[in-house]
Amino acid sequence: MALDDCRIIELPKIHDVRGNLTFVEGTRHIPFDIKRVYYLYDVPGGSDRGGHAHGKLHQFMIAMSGSFDVVLNDGDRERRYHLNRSYNGIYICPMTWRTLDNFSSNSVCLVLASDFYDEADYYRSKDDFLTAVKAQQR
Ligand code: TYD
């Protein structure tokens, strides 16, 4: 999969004067079943998160509060996305190097993932990631 498979997905938004409501259904609104949910919070200003890729994992990230940037790189190209709405998010396909930065104060990043936590699925070295991308392109 390449960078073009990663994309901003708009979620359903039920507008209500009492407060808006958004929901996400696995395989309906995002292209995978949700097996794990985690979130980043209390991120100090100037922090970077991510800095890795996954071999098989699909993820979907939402700025539940505040804002941050997600930089995606598929080994050939790079794109920066700014997330600042609770009703959309970025779908990150497998074999995509991601870095999160530019966190606003009190931001919360919710991540929906297609599988349980598995350290063996991580590429934590950019060189190893680029080598694996090249091997897959052959
Ligand atoms: P990591 O995915 O490296 O976060 P980031 O890329 O944002 O810095 O995870 C940080 C630590 O948390 C790492 O030691 C693994 C652990 N972790 C879990 O135990 N379970 C999880 O579901 C996640 C996402 C991380």
Side-chain angles (χ1 to χ4, degrees):
M1 293 209 196
L3 209 51
D4 289 336
D5 297 308
C6 302
R7 60 193 184 274
I8 296 285
I9 294 176
E10 190 121 345
L11 299 167
K13 183 177 175 188
I14 311 293
H15 180 74
D16 193 309
V17 289
R18 300 168 301 162
N20 296 331
L21 184 153
T22 282
F23 55 96
V24 191
E25 295 177 351
T27 71
R28 283 195 176 164
H29 303 120
I30 56 175
F32 59 89
D33 256 330
I34 301 161
K35 208 156 171 183
R36 177 168 52 113
V37 177
Y38 67 93
Y39 34 97
L40 300 169
Y41 55 98
D42 292 346
V43 180
S47 271
D48 286 3
R49 299 292 315 219
H52 63 251
H54 291 277
K56 296 202 177 102
L57 193 72
H58 300 253
Q59 289 181 307
F60 185 71
M61 290 185 182
I62 306 168
M64 296 303 289
S65 177
S67 64
F68 53 86
D69 288 1
V70 181
V71 181
L72 301 182
N73 185 312
D74 65 0
D76 287 324
R77 291 173 301 152
E78 188 161 287
R79 271 187 210 151
R80 177 177 286 271
Y81 297 87
H82 184 63
L83 295 187
N84 63 352
R85 294 283 180 259
S86 310
Y87 55 80
N88 66 26
I90 179 88
Y91 165 61
I92 306 177
C93 57
M95 294 304 285
T96 308
W97 190 269
R98 88 289 312 275
T99 309
L100 282 68
D101 62 16
N102 199 21
F103 284 91
S104 69
S105 53
N106 292 321
S107 52
V108 178
C109 169
L110 180 78
V111 186
L112 312 178
S114 63
D115 213 338
F116 297 131
Y117 171 74
D118 177 13
E119 185 61 35
D121 187 57
Y122 278 76
Y123 289 94
R124 294 210 180 262
S125 146
K126 187 88 179 261
D127 284 347
D128 290 351
F129 166 68
L130 294 173
T131 303
V133 168
K134 286 206 183 84
Q136 286 187 0
Q137 285 169 346
R138 263 187 233 127

